[in-house]
Amino acid sequence: MASSSELGCVYAALILQDDDVEITQDKIATLLKAANVTVEPFWPGLFAKSLAGVNLKDLISNVGSSAGAAPAAGAAPAAGAAAAGGDAPKAAAKKEPEPEPESEEDMGFGLFD
């Protein structure tokens, strides 16, 4: 379970993102101090560095949607091309087969070795 330090930093980062404010170590520490949450000094910096360049709004709104959406998104253009003029078989023929990923046996170790 997450500690109160981690939760405080998460909530502070979410508050900053919701207000469209840049997430920095100082701002996280200021929010935590205002909320009377005591954390070790490394937590705000750790969260600020890990969230640098990350759009939390996109991350939160797309939780769990990447795995199920990929096949459906790939099928829609093929259906649209077939309706447009029947060029879908030509596009499928040009596509090279994807290489198969290496299994654990190919690497020389297994899960229970």
Side-chain angles (χ1 to χ4, degrees):
M1 182 165 190
S3 68
S4 62
S5 299
E6 290 176 79
L7 288 174
C9 289
V10 168
Y11 291 143
L14 289 172
I15 290 169
L16 292 170
Q17 180 66 38
D18 190 48
D19 290 339
D20 293 325
V21 177
E22 183 182 1
I23 300 171
T24 63
Q25 177 178 357
D26 295 332
K27 291 178 183 174
I28 291 175
T30 303
L31 277 173
L32 292 173
K33 185 176 180 181
N36 199 24
V37 176
T38 56
V39 297
E40 294 185 34
F42 67 90
W43 282 112
L46 183 71
F47 273 83
K49 286 180 184 178
S50 66
L51 295 174
V54 175
N55 187 348
L56 283 179
K57 288 183 181 178
D58 289 342
L59 184 65
I60 291 170
S61 36
N62 293 327
V63 171
S65 66
S66 63
D87 292 336
K90 291 179 185 178
K94 291 180 184 179
K95 205 176 210 183
E96 295 180 23
E98 296 181 19
E100 294 182 23
E102 294 182 21
S103 68
E104 291 178 1
E105 294 173 1
D106 295 339
M107 292 182 209
F109 64 90
L111 181 63
F112 299 106
D113 288 344

